[in-house]
Amino acid sequence: LLAGTLFVLGLAGCGEKTDAEVTATALAAVTDDSPVEHSEAGSNRLGEWTEGSGLAMVARAVDDPAAPDTMNYDPKPGTRLVAVHFELGSLSGTHHGTPHAAKLVDSRGVKYEIVYGAMADHPEIEAVAVEMGERVSGWLAYELPEDAVPMFLEYKPSVWRRNIELRVSLVE
């Protein structure tokens, strides 16, 4: 607890805040030693960070419709490809980032799984270990019906003895 408090105080005294410093404020709340963590944090607009369970995330941009990579992906009739620029950071310990745990939620509450190898113009985010203080970013692709309206990106990784739920807005 003392180390986390000193870390947050040290960042607070560094002048103008960067994205990493803003997200570091959650560190003090992550010092609970309970075996099960639960967070239902969320953002209200595109580009706004959310924090919980030692993680921080943001959706930077939405490409709707996104250009498909026709060599690897054949869209189903009546659907379109939606790409989301996603960034994930660790505020506490090491987190094994799992892009498949990020689901797109539409205005009706329907959740969509990632479609791998579908985007022509954007680099996909990869599954990678994210150390404390590090961030990773890349794009995620989803196949949505033509009439679906993307609203949120929900990140719910399956982590032993932890229930992590983060949600960011896809609406400006």
Side-chain angles (χ1 to χ4, degrees):
L1 181 58
L2 179 61
T5 303
L6 290 175
F7 179 72
V8 172
L9 289 174
L11 288 175
C14 291
E16 186 174 325
K17 291 183 177 185
T18 65
D19 284 344
E21 291 169 8
V22 170
T23 59
T25 58
L27 184 59
V30 182
T31 58
D32 183 8
D33 290 334
S34 64
V36 178
E37 295 182 35
H38 182 75
S39 173
E40 288 188 27
S43 69
N44 293 318
R45 63 179 205 272
L46 186 67
E48 184 176 277
W49 284 90
T50 191
E51 309 168 340
S53 299
L55 299 175
M57 70 180 253
V58 65
R60 295 271 184 209
V62 177
D63 188 0
D64 183 10
D69 179 350
T70 55
M71 298 296 288
N72 296 318
Y73 168 73
D74 187 25
K76 294 176 189 147
T79 67
R80 71 186 191 281
L81 192 64
V82 175
V84 177
H85 186 205
F86 169 71
E87 191 168 338
L88 178 69
S90 177
L91 302 172
S92 173
T94 300
H95 176 72
H96 298 281
T98 52
H100 65 273
K103 311 260 189 292
L104 188 145
V105 182
D106 73 11
S107 59
R108 298 172 296 201
V110 177
K111 295 180 183 182
Y112 301 89
E113 301 281 334
I114 290 176
V115 178
Y116 291 99
M119 297 175 287
D121 299 333
H122 306 296
E124 286 184 351
I125 192 168
E126 296 180 14
V128 65
V130 185
E131 301 291 331
M132 182 173 151
E134 291 182 340
R135 296 187 295 197
V136 295
S137 69
W139 289 80
L140 306 167
Y142 300 90
E143 186 176 72
L144 275 69
E146 287 294 336
D147 64 342
V149 178
M151 296 299 290
F152 297 99
L153 189 65
E154 181 179 84
Y155 185 66
K156 293 173 77 171
S158 177
V159 179
W160 185 73
R161 296 185 53 108
R162 292 175 67 194
N163 186 14
I164 299 170
E165 294 181 37
L166 295 173
R167 181 181 265 204
V168 292
S169 179
L170 300 177
V171 181
E172 292 186 39

